[in-house]
Amino acid sequence: MITSNQIYHGRFTDPEGTHYTGDILIVNDQETRHGNGKDVYNDSDNSVYVGSFQNDQKHGYGNFMSNEIDYSGDYKNNLKEGDGCLIFNDHDLFVTYVGQFFSDHLQGVGTMRYRDGSNYEGGWAKGKRDGKGVFTFSRARIKDSSGHSDASILLDRFSGSWSDNKKHGLGTLFFRNGAYLEGEWHNDKIKSGTLTFNSNHPKFLSCQNYICDLEENHFPLINPKILSNNHYKITYRNSPIKFYKSRNGIYSGYLKYDQRHGFGT
């Protein structure tokens, strides 16, 4: 005869229709999952969990599989918590996440691989990029003022601070042709900083157009300074004056719709 607080191997079906096979502990005359076992859920996602249980909850290491996700990692009180690997089987944006979890959220340090081939490695908070991290772009292109993608100017990576999935704080945006934009970011947009680029690159003869289109905003450019024979520095600040580098030199003055407009030299 099986008594309370005794563990035995068996099977039962709970009130939700989940079929359990594994270690069972009798508590107050009720069968509970406790130890190693397998849950086959009564749902349309073909959900299955194989792993450790404690007091009728997923607790310890386990594997959860369904049509939507596969998860292998640590659980605490029925929630993903600790280290784990999450595979998104049917998601428009995500592919895999490997890293830390807390209270069923992506939280701590981890690496996310996205459907388009880009990836992010760094801090997370409640499922969003947060803290220090590096986002490496895949096929991200900067659009020109007519809305067409420029295949020769590709984003490489952003390294810096994040908050709520957005670039926020100090960081640097790198381009694959060697240019980089370094400064302070606010809600995914550059607030102040320095753009360094190679003036020999033909697509950067009007580089500020591309930066503005990239951030979906028009930022003032001031104080272009020659760094070397082939490199220039442009500083973003809160000013109505913009600078435009043309084939004949640098234009200093006002711009409207990325064209010279009003007073200028």
Side-chain angles (χ1 to χ4, degrees):
M1 179 178 179
I2 300 173
T3 60
S4 294
N5 299 321
Q6 181 180 349
I7 298 175
Y8 68 98
H9 189 83
R11 65 180 61 192
F12 64 82
T13 301
D14 67 16
E16 286 76 33
T18 300
H19 300 287
Y20 173 77
T21 303
D23 296 330
I24 299 173
L25 175 67
I26 301 297
V27 178
N28 297 326
D29 297 326
Q30 296 292 323
E31 295 175 312
T32 62
R33 305 165 179 84
H34 196 88
N36 294 316
K38 176 180 179 180
D39 262 343
V40 179
Y41 296 85
N42 182 27
D43 59 26
S44 59
D45 289 332
N46 298 316
S47 302
V48 176
Y49 171 80
V50 179
S52 181
F53 292 87
Q54 180 175 292
N55 298 325
D56 221 30
Q57 294 183 324
K58 295 188 288 290
H59 192 91
Y61 186 86
N63 297 281
F64 179 86
M65 297 153 283
S66 72
N67 294 339
E68 294 185 356
I69 65 169
D70 291 344
Y71 173 77
S72 298
D74 299 325
Y75 281 90
K76 183 178 180 180
N77 298 330
N78 236 22
L79 302 177
K80 292 184 285 293
E81 188 161 321
D83 297 323
C85 174
L86 183 61
I87 300 174
F88 301 86
N89 297 324
D90 186 21
H91 197 283
D92 293 336
L93 182 60
F94 308 128
V95 177
T96 58
Y97 170 83
V98 178
Q100 297 173 323
F101 293 79
F102 179 78
S103 191
D104 236 21
H105 293 292
L106 281 60
Q107 184 147 328
V109 178
T111 300
M112 176 72 81
R113 187 163 62 91
Y114 296 87
R115 188 70 60 185
D116 66 355
S118 57
N119 66 80
Y120 169 80
E121 182 176 359
W124 295 84
K126 294 184 177 180
K128 296 182 179 181
R129 296 186 292 273
D130 191 274
K132 302 293 184 182
V134 178
F135 188 98
T136 303
F137 297 88
S138 176
R139 299 187 299 272
R141 288 180 170 82
I142 306 172
K143 294 182 179 180
D144 60 24
S145 57
S146 63
H148 296 99
S149 294
D150 189 336
S152 67
I153 304 181
L154 295 177
L155 298 176
D156 181 40
R157 68 193 185 279
F158 175 83
S159 177
S161 296
W162 299 80
S163 178
D164 195 29
N165 259 354
K166 298 176 181 178
K167 297 182 286 291
H168 194 86
L170 299 179
T172 304
L173 180 66
F174 295 90
F175 299 84
R176 293 188 182 180
N177 59 9
Y180 57 92
L181 176 59
E182 181 179 14
E184 182 180 357
W185 300 75
H186 183 76
N187 287 334
D188 230 26
K189 292 180 171 59
I190 187 71
K191 183 178 180 182
S192 64
T194 300
L195 170 67
T196 303
F197 63 97
N198 189 331
S199 64
N200 285 338
H201 195 290
K203 295 300 182 180
F204 270 100
L205 293 174
S206 57
C207 65
Q208 69 87 22
N209 290 354
Y210 298 103
I211 297 299
C212 288
D213 289 340
L214 168 68
E215 297 300 335
E216 297 180 350
N217 204 338
H218 295 284
F219 298 101
L221 306 177
I222 65 173
N223 296 340
K225 298 178 181 179
I226 296 178
L227 299 181
S228 64
N229 291 334
N230 296 321
H231 291 80
Y232 292 83
K233 178 185 290 186
I234 297 177
T235 303
Y236 285 71
R237 291 182 184 172
N238 187 16
S239 165
I241 298 178
K242 294 183 177 181
F243 287 83
Y244 178 94
K245 184 181 184 302
S246 68
R247 294 181 184 276
N248 297 322
I250 298 178
Y251 167 78
S252 171
Y254 292 92
L255 295 178
K256 183 176 182 180
Y257 301 113
D258 297 323
Q259 301 294 325
R260 302 179 188 183
H261 181 81
F263 177 79
T265 58

